[in-house]
Amino acid sequence: MSSYLKNVWAGFYTAVKGMMITSRHMFKKSVTIQYPDEKFDLPANARNKLVLDMSRCNACTACAIACPVNCITVEGVRVSPEDPHQEVHADGKPRKVWVTRYEMDLAKCCFCGLCQAACPSDAIKHTQDFEYSAYNKESLYFKYQILTPEQSAEKVRLLAEFKEKEAAAKAAAAEKAATEGKPVAPKKAAPKADEASEQ
Amino acid sequence: MESTNFIWDLMGKNLWSVVAVISLPLIFVLIYALVAILAELKVSAWIQERLGPMRTGPWGILQPIAEVIKLLQKEDITPTAASKILFNLAPYVIFTGAYAAFAVIPFSEAYAPANINVGLFYIFAVGSFSAIGIVMGGWASNNKYSLMGAMRSVSQVISYEIPAAVAVLAVVVLTSSMNMMEISRMQEGGFWNWYIFGGPGGWTKIFMIPFTLTLAIIYFIASLAETNRLPFDIPEGESELVAGFHTEYSGMKFAMFFFAEYANMFVVAAVVTTIFLGGWTSPFGSFLAGAGWGAFWFILKSMFVVFLQIWIRWTLPRFRVDQLMYIGWKVLLPISLVCFIAISFFSLLNLG
Amino acid sequence: MDLTTLAFFFFAALTLGFGAVVVLSRNIMHAAFSLLFTFFGVAGLYVLLHADFLAITQIMIYIGGILVLIIFGVMLTTRITGVDVKSGRTGKLQLGLTAALSVALAAVLVKIFLSTLWHIAPAADVDATAELIGNALLTKYLIAFEAASILLLVAIVGAAFIARKK
Ligand code: SF4
Ligand code: SF4
């Protein structure tokens, strides 16, 4: 009998106690963040949308190689020394490679951060922007350009011309050397444009 | 005896006044249900340290309207294997049961839709319509979950009707009246005259306070079970029975169940208010008393009880079926009987 | 025709109509649910007779108690997945016999109805029937009342005994 009464009392008491607890929570500040209106600060190293700084990138393709899902495509062409349009990188060094193509498919990206780590010139970076959902995948395919296609073609042509000229000069020099009987070690072939590596 | 239905007098006691008297509680139920749904959403959110709906109107106060509109737009499905007539009838039977009880609720000194002598008894009687409606819907759905939900619901309603009735009966012994208006009037003159505190009487009533208090709590618990609210919502326990007896319902018919549940909540809250919390009487004697203030106090007290129901719902988890029966038959019933006998004894001694 | 008469015909039609469904329906569940409206109609008739307590008792006991019990019984005794419960077809002979019996019974009832001198007393305007019934039950009809309660108690004890004896 007494244990029965104790049980009943315990049941009642615990219910009341539970209600007291919930009533305390009723007046606590809500933890909800009303998202589009308020946002909380992401940690500084949060990895979200990738942004490329074209003035830094030198088309070294380190990022494209590092990327595990192959979402980056880079092509570049060496700056011809005779190019009338010379540029300086953001870090003050002269530009040695024109980026003719830089495409990033953020629909594929898994935000692993490897490209950022691989980039030697801090050109590709994760930003804090995570609100870039889109209705179609095409709008997540980002194409970066500093040159118009015509300009790129022009740069390719310029470099080819320069190389031709150089080759001609070399041939001439070799001929000269041959006539002078002094062999000359062939210079290292100009690296292919998209494997350009400077620093 | 002065009139207890001012609309009846105002409109000249003809057919139109009948319509007005009938429709006023209906309008009240609709508005109240919207408020209660919002309260449910908001209180549950606050208890869980959320904000609840915030986007529909300022602080989300239009959320219930949005929900009702959403329900109205939904497809109204009748399962092919269901018993069509009964399936379509059940929501109306349930709502009738809930709404019929409003006929005797004394909202104020000047307004009870029907001031009948056996009001309390009447409320218990029409409550059985909901039970029948639930069985009807559950059986007609031709769905195991619905049927199980219906069976559970009815066994629960039947079991908990007894302690609830005993608790009410104890107050009837004290008032020697089943007229809800009369019971309210007896508790006039301040909150110490409410039956939860032993009712009106001299200092000797303090012996009765523990018993009336217990009965009030018992009635409240039993009323939770009768309205199928948590922690007694085993008829619709989501984790076991999908949605219980209204698994198959959608659209407007589901909305009827929804409204009936909230209407039922108000009915039991009104009964608690009337018999234990002084009905429409002011808690401060003659201060702020009167017909208009009466309605204010009545609705305030009832809404407080509704709030208690919501509060409990978001505090306690659901009981198991055997625990439910244990509480009903082995805890509430014996204790309410003891209190009932004690109160009858006191009232024989004229202590109250 | 005033409102009361209209209400009377409404309730009478309700009672008789659904009573017919109870008798004629082959689906036992439909029959059981039709009882709901029959009982409700009877309660309405009680209200029209100024017997408010009796009307509410009718709803409470018959709808809230007996009807629920019947439905429960039907649901528990058939397969719970509820293929429609049908009452069996009656044979020609039985049909003829019952028809004859019913007609005879109806004839007797009509005869009695016509030959009785009906006493139409003016409706006594009793306001509180509950009190009168209570007083009568505990004074004049005390023995019957107590006998009924003892009967119910015996029934409960018996039911509990049968249920326990598994
Ligand atoms: S974050 Fe990872 S997946 Fe995304 S582009 Fe960089 S390397 Fe590729
Ligand atoms: S690693 Fe950096 S510099 Fe190299 S291609 Fe990628 S973004 Fe440009």
Side-chain angles (χ1 to χ4, degrees), chain B residues 83 139, chain C residues 21 24-32 84-87:
Chain B
S83 170
W139 183 81
Chain C
V21 175
L24 299 176
S25 170
R26 290 209 168 274
N27 186 327
I28 291 185
M29 278 314 262
H30 285 185
D84 285 355
V85 195
K86 307 266 194 223
S87 49

Side-chain angles (χ1 to χ4, degrees), chain B:
Chain B
M1 195 167 99
E2 71 211 274
S3 168
T4 51
N5 194 333
F6 72 96
I7 292 176
W8 185 246
D9 298 334
L10 213 66
M11 313 236 338
K13 313 190 182 193
N14 53 21
L15 198 58
W16 291 116
S17 55
V18 174
V19 173
V21 167
I22 290 172
S23 52
L24 194 70
L26 188 62
I27 295 166
F28 175 77
V29 174
L30 294 181
I31 294 173
Y32 148 78
L34 294 181
V35 174
I37 292 170
L38 182 68
E40 178 102 52
L41 293 171
K42 280 293 188 186
V43 172
S44 67
W46 291 336
I47 284 179
Q48 296 164 356
E49 293 181 27
R50 293 182 287 115
L51 287 171
M54 289 294 279
R55 299 271 146 191
T56 34
W59 297 286
I61 53 170
L62 299 180
Q63 184 69 27
I65 295 175
E67 301 218 341
V68 170
I69 292 173
K70 178 201 77 179
L71 279 177
L72 286 177
Q73 290 171 330
K74 293 247 169 153
E75 188 187 357
D76 194 6
I77 300 169
T78 309
T80 358
S83 170
K84 300 253 161 12
I85 305 171
L86 292 180
F87 184 82
N88 291 323
L89 198 62
Y92 301 100
V93 172
I94 291 182
F95 189 75
T96 310
Y99 180 54
F102 277 81
V104 293
I105 291 177
F107 285 95
S108 148
E109 213 170 338
Y111 184 70
N115 183 22
I116 65 174
N117 273 314
V118 281
L120 269 179
F121 194 32
Y122 171 84
I123 283 190
F124 272 87
V126 293
S128 51
F129 272 94
S130 324
I132 295 279
I134 287 173
V135 187
M136 207 185 250
W139 183 81
S141 300
N142 196 14
N143 175 324
K144 276 180 201 170
Y145 295 123
S146 301
L147 189 61
M148 305 260 267
M151 304 263 273
R152 284 182 177 191
S153 166
V154 173
S155 56
Q156 168 181 325
V157 169
I158 290 179
S159 312
Y160 278 76
E161 217 163 49
I162 300 166
V166 171
V168 170
L169 221 55
V171 176
V172 172
V173 165
L174 286 174
T175 56
S176 54
S177 165
M178 285 196 282
N179 183 327
M180 295 181 82
M181 196 59 107
E182 208 95 307
I183 294 174
S184 300
R185 192 166 289 127
M186 278 182 188
Q187 304 174 62
E188 241 170 351
F191 65 86
W192 51 90
N193 276 353
W194 295 353
Y195 278 110
I196 192 171
F197 301 123
W203 65 270
T204 41
K205 79 170 188 178
I206 55 166
F207 295 117
M208 272 191 337
I209 290 178
F211 298 107
T212 47
L213 204 62
T214 316
L215 283 175
I217 292 166
I218 285 174
Y219 181 78
F220 180 69
I221 294 172
S223 73
L224 284 178
E226 277 186 64
T227 48
N228 294 333
R229 298 273 303 173
L230 253 154
F232 299 100
D233 77 332
I234 58 157
E236 38 193 290
E238 297 91 356
S239 48
E240 303 146 30
L241 293 182
V242 191
F245 57 89
H246 54 61
T247 305
E248 296 286 351
Y249 283 90
S250 62
M252 199 51 217
K253 285 193 236 110
F254 178 74
M256 292 289 271
F257 279 117
F258 211 59
F259 270 116
E261 182 186 336
Y262 282 93
N264 258 330
M265 273 166 73
F266 187 83
V267 169
V268 294
V271 173
V272 173
T273 306
T274 309
I275 63 179
F276 289 114
L277 299 178
W280 41 258
T281 62
S282 157
F284 314 112
S286 54
F287 178 62
L288 293 185
W293 281 109
F296 167 76
W297 287 121
F298 184 82
I299 290 172
L300 188 74
K301 290 172 192 172
S302 306
M303 288 313 278
F304 173 71
V305 180
V306 170
F307 167 72
L308 273 184
Q309 293 175 337
I310 294 173
W311 184 3
I312 287 205
R313 168 172 179 180
W314 294 101
T315 299
L316 298 179
R318 182 184 310 131
F319 287 122
R320 233 167 37 217
V321 183
D322 61 322
Q323 290 170 331
L324 179 102
M325 287 300 158
Y326 178 87
I327 291 171
W329 289 102
K330 292 197 171 168
V331 178
L332 295 187
L333 185 60
I335 294 180
S336 64
L337 278 175
V338 167
C339 293
F340 174 68
I341 290 167
I343 282 178
S344 315
F345 184 67
F346 282 133
S347 89
L348 273 183
L349 291 181
N350 269 331
L351 279 178

Side-chain angles (χ1 to χ4, degrees), chain A residues 52 56-64 72 74 99 102 115 118-124:
Chain A
L52 178 76
R56 282 172 177 274
C57 176
N58 48 35
C60 68
T61 68
C63 53
I72 302 176
V74 193
V99 185
Y102 195 107
C115 51
C119 180
S121 49
D122 277 355
I124 190 162

Side-chain angles (χ1 to χ4, degrees), chain C residues 13-38:
Chain C
L14 197 71
T15 313
L16 290 179
F18 280 98
V21 175
V22 173
V23 177
L24 299 176
S25 170
R26 290 209 168 274
N27 186 327
I28 291 185
M29 278 314 262
H30 285 185
F33 282 118
S34 306
L35 267 181
L36 166 68
F37 298 96
T38 314

Side-chain angles (χ1 to χ4, degrees), chain A residues 50 63 66-69 71-72 104 109-116 126:
Chain A
L50 278 171
C63 53
C67 179
V69 289
C71 46
I72 302 176
M104 216 189 309
C109 177
C110 63
F111 307 101
C112 60
L114 292 178
C115 51
Q116 183 182 1
H126 283 289

